[in-house]
Amino acid sequence: MRTRTRTPLYGLLVSLLLLGAGLLLPASAATAADNGTWGVFPTPPAGAAMTDRAYFFHQGAAGTTVADSATIINSSDRELTFQVFATDAMNTPSGGAFALLPLETKPRDVGTWIALPPEPAGTVTVPAKGRKDVPFTVKVPADATPGDHVGGIVVLNTAVEGVQKEGKVQVGVKRSVGARLYFRVPGPVAAGLSVEDVRVSRSAPLLPWIQDARATVTYALVNRGNVVVEPRVTVSAEGLFGREVLDRPARDLKLVLLPGQRVELTEAWPDAPQSDWVTVRVAAGAAAHPDLATASEAEFIAVPWPAAGALLVLAGAGTALWALRRRRAAARDAELPACAPDVARVH
């Protein structure tokens, strides 16, 4: 897929604020979730290390049920009580970090397929330096669509660990961790990825060609398929007559882009052209899907506006000075007395 857009120069600031009992579950390393005080892991086989499985990976046809177990580890010196729930995963719109929905947001996908045991008041108590296994089942609906469905098992500490102020309201903060769950429903699967909305914002120095101009390339990646994609991105740019002004080879973004998700990313360009007509191209693919390729372009005109402005001011001042001198010269000519020609006298 290839799209081409022409965009004006403008800046963009995108931010994401996730609230809800202080819950934010970004992705870090490819291991199960552990905040140093407690953690949740896929229950390992007997005799295996606790981190034997990084995440939950399962597959099952529509209408089937899969069973598994999550293990909660309490590394602290006191008994802890947790609320355990299942939910869906998402990518944060800005930056694309993996996140699990907070307790207050109802899941709509695999989070609704997971059934946890009916503990009293929905809580699980784990002794100090202890562990507890929490079995669960995943019942795939009869109308489940083929492809990847991603969520997680979240462990939320019921104790308030701090207070943060939001305007005039104080909100109690509760920490949580979550273990990812990837579930594939067999059937027709297709990887889909598109690069969209490429834009460039730039700032020129006051002294052009003495200091570097800076630019930021902003673009969106959209997973239009039904399987998880880990994108590789190439960013390049050409100036007038095909002159190469930027060439960044393909690199993995360390990003797990979930089906149906759209994320916005930025690319810093610290030595952007100061005077040129530039075409910026963002191309994306995935190592696991060699045939997957997409690209989008945007054009912008780089003009050293401070220098151009200074030249215009100087040119305007020169023109004004020239006109003033012309007027003064004309005024002096108008003030000179008229002189009669000499007449010869004849005696």
Side-chain angles (χ1 to χ4, degrees):
M1 180 182 297
R2 178 185 174 93
T3 61
R4 184 181 181 91
T5 58
R6 293 177 181 264
T7 59
L9 303 180
Y10 60 93
L12 178 65
L13 174 64
V14 180
S15 63
L16 177 69
L17 181 62
L18 292 179
L19 299 177
L23 177 63
L24 177 61
L25 301 173
S28 53
T31 58
D34 188 342
N35 63 15
T37 305
W38 72 86
V40 56
F41 306 82
T43 302
M50 182 57 64
T51 56
D52 182 69
R53 291 195 292 165
Y55 306 129
F56 296 101
F57 290 97
H58 289 292
Q59 71 173 13
T64 62
T65 299
V66 176
D68 205 335
S69 174
T71 296
I72 305 172
I73 299 292
N74 179 7
S75 303
S76 73
D77 297 324
R78 65 184 186 280
E79 181 180 85
L80 295 175
T81 299
F82 303 100
Q83 187 167 4
V84 183
F85 63 95
T87 192
D88 296 338
M90 62 171 286
N91 291 106
T92 57
S94 177
F98 183 100
L100 294 172
L101 298 179
L103 178 63
E104 290 77 9
T105 303
K106 292 183 178 180
R108 297 182 177 181
D109 193 50
V110 70
T112 64
W113 305 356
I114 301 172
L116 293 160
E119 299 285 342
T123 60
V124 174
T125 299
V126 184
K129 304 295 184 182
R131 61 175 279 184
K132 183 164 185 178
D133 297 340
V134 180
F136 64 89
T137 58
V138 183
K139 186 174 182 180
V140 186
D143 60 351
T145 57
D148 292 337
H149 301 262
V150 187
I153 305 294
V154 181
V155 176
L156 172 66
N157 190 1
T158 59
V160 175
E161 298 189 25
V163 176
Q164 67 182 24
K165 194 171 183 179
E166 298 175 6
K168 296 182 179 180
V169 179
Q170 290 187 332
V171 179
V173 177
K174 298 179 179 179
R175 285 198 299 166
S176 60
V177 293
R180 303 186 197 186
L181 185 147
Y182 294 88
F183 200 101
R184 173 164 291 189
V185 177
V189 295
L193 182 66
S194 65
V195 180
E196 302 177 5
D197 300 333
V198 178
R199 303 181 295 278
V200 181
S201 61
R202 62 183 296 273
S203 59
L206 294 176
L207 299 174
W209 299 290
I210 296 177
Q211 296 177 317
D212 289 336
R214 296 180 177 274
T216 300
V217 180
T218 303
Y219 60 95
L221 290 180
V222 185
N223 186 340
R224 300 195 176 279
N226 60 356
V227 294
V228 167
V229 173
E230 298 184 29
R232 291 172 57 87
V233 169
T234 304
V235 181
S236 59
E238 290 184 353
L240 286 172
F241 312 112
R243 183 172 56 89
E244 183 181 274
V245 294
L246 179 65
D247 182 18
R248 295 184 180 171
R251 72 186 191 282
D252 293 322
L253 296 182
K254 310 299 182 184
L255 169 66
V256 178
L257 189 58
L258 308 180
Q261 295 287 298
R262 174 191 177 93
V263 300
E264 196 148 294
L265 304 171
T266 59
E267 185 93 12
W269 189 358
D271 55 350
Q274 303 205 36
S275 179
D276 210 337
W277 188 318
V278 183
T279 300
V280 176
R281 186 174 191 268
V282 180
H289 306 281
D291 296 332
L292 189 61
T294 176
S296 185
E297 296 178 349
E299 296 179 350
F300 72 95
I301 299 176
V303 178
W305 293 114
L311 290 175
L312 288 174
V313 170
L314 290 175
T319 302
L321 182 60
W322 177 80
L324 179 61
R325 288 180 174 176
R326 287 291 303 272
R327 286 197 298 270
R328 287 179 176 176
R332 285 196 301 269
D333 293 342
E335 292 175 359
L336 291 177
C339 297
D342 291 338
V343 177
R345 293 183 180 184
V346 178
H347 297 281

